[in-house]
Amino acid sequence: MRPHARSALAGGEAPRPAGTAPPSRTLVIGYGSPIRGDDAIGPLAAEQLATGPLPGGVRIVSRHVLTAELAEDLAGVDRVVFLDATVEGRPGEVRVRDLAPDARAVSTMAHFHDPRELLAWCETLYGRTPRAWLVSAAGQSFDYASYRLTPCAAAAVAAMLAEVRRLI
């Protein structure tokens, strides 16, 4: 397991009764810069989610940026939920949107700023993509502030986590 990752499958899976479906494989990725104020909301929300009870088959990952190696992780799951800050909307407003692969959502090869491009890489390399959503909260300040959210962003974390729990 990578650093900053938590799995609800610790110790392996228990045997399933005959005729039951395997648990859904779900990945939650919180990403953003921890030193840019409200941009830290993705990793902070992911870390908070990892402390609570989770359904089986859920893995939580916290990253500064989305990188190419995550495409392999996406290929191995049924669902992925991305957690991030946005400059769109009223500060503290939480939005959920379905995502689809989009190779036109271009960024650099080293760092992905748009999860749709990462999904496109997954589709190209592995021939499949998971069902995907972006849960975002509008930030108020993206100034330098190491792991410190503004009050409106901090208040949005609970709403973000409620949306994640609904999706997983």
Side-chain angles (χ1 to χ4, degrees):
M1 190 176 297
R2 295 183 184 155
H4 304 294
R6 177 187 183 265
S7 174
L9 299 176
E13 290 185 29
R16 288 187 317 273
T20 61
S24 178
R25 298 166 299 163
T26 303
L27 179 61
V28 178
I29 304 172
Y31 67 99
S33 175
I35 63 169
R36 296 303 304 258
D38 290 345
D39 199 39
I41 199 165
L44 290 173
E47 290 169 10
Q48 186 171 335
L49 183 66
T51 65
L54 296 169
V58 175
R59 188 165 62 110
I60 311 294
V61 177
S62 178
R63 294 279 184 271
H64 299 285
V65 293
L66 300 177
T67 55
E69 67 268 7
L70 288 170
E72 181 177 7
D73 293 325
L74 296 182
V77 298
D78 301 316
R79 298 181 293 206
V80 61
V81 180
F82 295 93
L83 304 174
D84 192 20
T86 183
V87 295
E88 298 172 2
R90 293 181 327 275
E93 180 182 10
V94 174
R95 295 182 181 174
V96 178
R97 72 177 203 192
D98 289 306
L99 295 177
D102 185 352
R104 295 168 298 162
V106 179
S107 57
T108 67
M109 284 186 65
H111 297 92
F112 293 98
H113 300 287
D114 191 314
R116 297 170 302 166
E117 184 185 10
L118 186 58
L119 290 164
W121 276 69
C122 179
E123 183 175 58
T124 299
L125 293 171
Y126 300 99
R128 69 172 306 276
T129 58
R131 177 109 191 257
W133 298 272
L134 172 64
V135 177
S136 60
Q140 182 175 27
S141 174
F142 295 88
D143 293 334
Y144 289 104
S146 186
Y147 285 106
R148 285 192 319 264
L149 301 176
T150 59
C152 63
V157 171
M160 289 179 79
L161 297 183
E163 291 293 348
V164 172
R165 287 185 180 98
R166 182 181 64 78
L167 294 168
I168 62 173

